[in-house]
Structures are given as C-alpha cells and as structure tokens.
Amino acid sequence: MIGYYVHHHGSGHLSRATALARMLGDDLTGLSSLARPAGWTGDWLQLPADTGPDTDEPIDPTARGALHWVPRRAAGVRARAAALSAWFERARPRVIVTDVSVEVALLARLHGVPVVVVAQPGRRDDEAHRLAYRIADRVIGFWPAGFDVLQTAEPLGGRLATVGALSRFPAAGRTGDTATDTAQAPVPAPGEILVFSGTGGTGPGALAAVVRAARAALPERRFTELVDASAAQVEAALARASLVFSHCGQNAVAEIASARVPAVLVAEERPFAEQESLAAALAASDLPVEVMTPESAESADWTALAARLGATDGGGWAAWVDGAAAERAAQVIRDVAEDRS
C-alpha cells in the first residue's frame, strides 16, 4: 500500500497525484481534505480540514519556525493528525508521498513509515523545509536534471530525483520535436497570442503589466486571455496559440512546454521565491522562452521579440517535458516502497 498526501492549495498537486495514480494503480490511496478527483480508481481518504474558526487568529502556527502549520489547540489540526495516525495503523503503508506537507511527512516518519517528499522550486532554506528533506528517503523534483530551481542548504545528494516536468496533457509533436509524432502536431493560429492568468497572488501582478506593454506595442496581434478555464479549454487554447504569455508557475510552464509553444514568462511574487527561482533557471537555458519583468517590458522591442519567438522552434520544450515524468516518479516511489532505494 502506498499513500499519497495531496495538499489542498493549488490544482497542480491533484494533477500530479492523478497522473501517478495511473502508473501505480489501485495500490495508491489518496490522502487529502480535497474530494476524490474524477477517475480516481483507488482508495481515497478525505481528511478533516486543518483550518476553522479557531485558526482565524492562530497561536504559534509554526512552532517558533520549526514547522509550517501547527497552530496550538486547533481542532482541525488535531483531527487530521488523528485520522492519518489511524490510517497508518490500519493500512500499514509501505511508503507515504507528501505533495506537499512538512507536517504529514514528519507524522508518517514518526510512525516508522518511509517518506518521499515532492519538492517545489524556490529558496527552501527555512527550518521546516530542511527538516522534511532531512527525514525523506527520496525527494522528487518535477523538473529536468541540470536546472537549479531548488535552493536549500540541506544536502540531498543522490536522494534527489529530478524526473522532468509533469503536465496534465500529453506532449505534443511540433516541428523539431523528435520525441513525438510531428505528423499529429496542432497547427497554431497565425498571430494568436494566449495569456495565462494564474491565481494565488494579490493585485494585478507583474504579468498584467507585461501584457499591457505588449498589447500597446502589438496592436495588430490578437491576445486571448484564459482565466479559470477547464483542462479541455486550456489544451485547446494552447494548440491554437503561436505564443503564450504566462506567470512562471511550475504547472503553467509544464503545460506550455507540453504544447511546444514559445513563451514569454513573468515571475510573480510567491512564498519562498518559487516563481523567481524557476524563471531564473529558464532564463539561463536554451528553451524557447523569454523571461520578462514589468521594467524590461517597458523598454522591449516587442515587434522584434515577437518575431523572434514566433520563428523559434517550440520543439525545444521537449527538454523540459518529454512525457515520461510520471513513469520516472512512480519508479522512485516503488523503489522506496520495495526497499530498493
């Protein structure tokens, strides 16, 4: 039995769990306060929420910086830990995957259960992240090897498995992409620019400022903004786009890469400098991407930049998403479950 804890913030965690469930089969039990996702065939334990009226003004929620969310005397925190402890005893899991929770990783290890931690990009040098990495049997990074997107002082060595980026969508074939069938490649609409407007921040954000500058400089181009769209709508819009403007969230970048579309990426302010770290790594790469800031957007030659990106081979994104990340991650998890790690 394998347990997979899914954090309740962000759809990307749920997408990863669903992709891995297809690889690991019914041996995988989902653990989350989120509802069971459509198509999940294994067990699903819906956990109590770890928030409530008694956490509106939480008391010492980080245990003086040692953890991330353990407010004192919070009923939801207590109920969640109790539900997980009862499941550990009942199911006797061979391994727990946490995506992402330091507290769940620690609780599992205190029960003697091996732990695989899914890492996020960013500067993760706080005590809580370092503790999670220290107790983990393996740490999975959903980005390719050779990209410096995780900064932590905790030595990971061979315990870190960089398996490549994972997208909800299959990797598309585009010109120059030898990993896929280019005969099935979608044909972008001439001149169509797609704007991914993400959630998770506050205010209009840096992406909005960059898009505003681009619109003013490219009045002849059609900009289509996508907000709160379904997976099918996102996939269809990416297939039509010749260029994408997006925040630099890990899942957004993976979906752009899977569609093989050149992109203008903008790092929004997020905890632990998550998007800034990812943007810096992408900016230093040979991938079909231009990383912009509101300041650089004001002085950019947008006509030349759009022409250059439009002529760029989107197949270069195959180095970021090659379609095999879920398979590699599942093998890492199996290795820990079977004591081969």
Side-chain angles (χ1 to χ4, degrees), residues 11 26 39 55 98 113 171 180 184 192 217 228 231 283 288 307 325 327:
S11 60
D26 291 348
T55 61
T98 63
V113 181
T180 56
Q184 301 300 316
E192 182 163 347
D228 295 330
E327 183 178 347

Side-chain angles (χ1 to χ4, degrees), residues 107-120:
L107 183 64
R109 193 64 188 86
L110 287 170
H111 284 76
V113 181
V115 174
V116 174
V117 169
V118 176
Q120 300 289 99

Side-chain angles (χ1 to χ4, degrees), residues 170-183:
R174 282 185 183 259
T175 303
D177 181 6
T178 58
T180 56
D181 181 5
T182 55

